[in-house]
Amino acid sequence: QVQVVESGGGSVQAGGSLTLTCTALELEFDRYAMTWFRQPPGKKREAVSCIEWDGVAKYYAESVQGRFTTSRDNSRNTAYLQMNSLNSEDTAIYYCGAASTCTDTMQHLEVWVEHWGHGTQVTVSS
């Protein structure tokens, strides 16, 4: 049974950094693009980043461009989201998803996600 598990969430002060980790079990990891989404309190879930299967092509939401970096280690079935210069608007539940493809505009990326994690909370205090 496929499992996607996020970890690394927590509380941090504005301007700080966090790294989220996503590990996929029972999944042909290197056949999937790995995505990060987030859902702020009272808002809809939004795409944050996507990294293609080979780790070469990466895409980001405009709101995190230049602050967040996604990467992956196919030998460990693990993807990462390095988050720097965090602010209160980054407070959200962060979800990892294994997708069949990225979309270069990040539009409708959710449609391509086949396996979701349960999420990890990130809270940024000012």
Side-chain angles (χ1 to χ4, degrees), residues 27-85:
L27 182 75
E28 289 188 76
F29 189 75
D30 58 3
R31 293 187 63 183
Y32 287 86
M34 295 304 295
T35 68
W36 288 96
F37 287 75
R38 67 185 181 186
Q39 187 166 16
K43 296 184 179 181
K44 294 180 179 179
R45 186 161 55 184
E46 60 185 16
V48 174
S49 69
C50 189
I51 182 169
E52 286 286 9
W53 67 274
D54 58 0
V56 175
K58 303 177 185 181
Y59 307 94
Y60 298 94
E62 191 173 326
S63 59
V64 306
Q65 185 78 43
R67 299 188 299 123
F68 290 13
T69 302
T70 188
S71 60
R72 64 189 295 160
D73 183 344
N74 287 351
S75 69
R76 296 177 181 270
N77 277 27
T78 300
Y80 305 93
L81 185 66
Q82 171 70 42
M83 306 184 294
N84 298 325
S85 302

Side-chain angles (χ1 to χ4, degrees), residues 1-4 25-27 115:
Q1 182 178 356
V2 174
Q3 291 185 60
V4 176
L25 307 175
E26 303 298 331
L27 182 75
H115 305 285

Side-chain angles (χ1 to χ4, degrees), residues 73-119:
D73 183 344
N74 287 351
S75 69
R76 296 177 181 270
N77 277 27
T78 300
Y80 305 93
L81 185 66
Q82 171 70 42
M83 306 184 294
N84 298 325
S85 302
L86 287 162
N87 59 61
S88 58
E89 293 185 350
D90 297 316
T91 293
I93 299 173
Y94 282 73
Y95 298 90
C96 178
S100 56
T101 186
C102 293
T103 59
D104 55 359
T105 63
M106 299 290 283
Q107 295 293 317
H108 308 300
L109 180 60
E110 195 164 319
V111 171
W112 301 100
V113 175
E114 298 183 16
H115 305 285
W116 289 99
H118 291 294

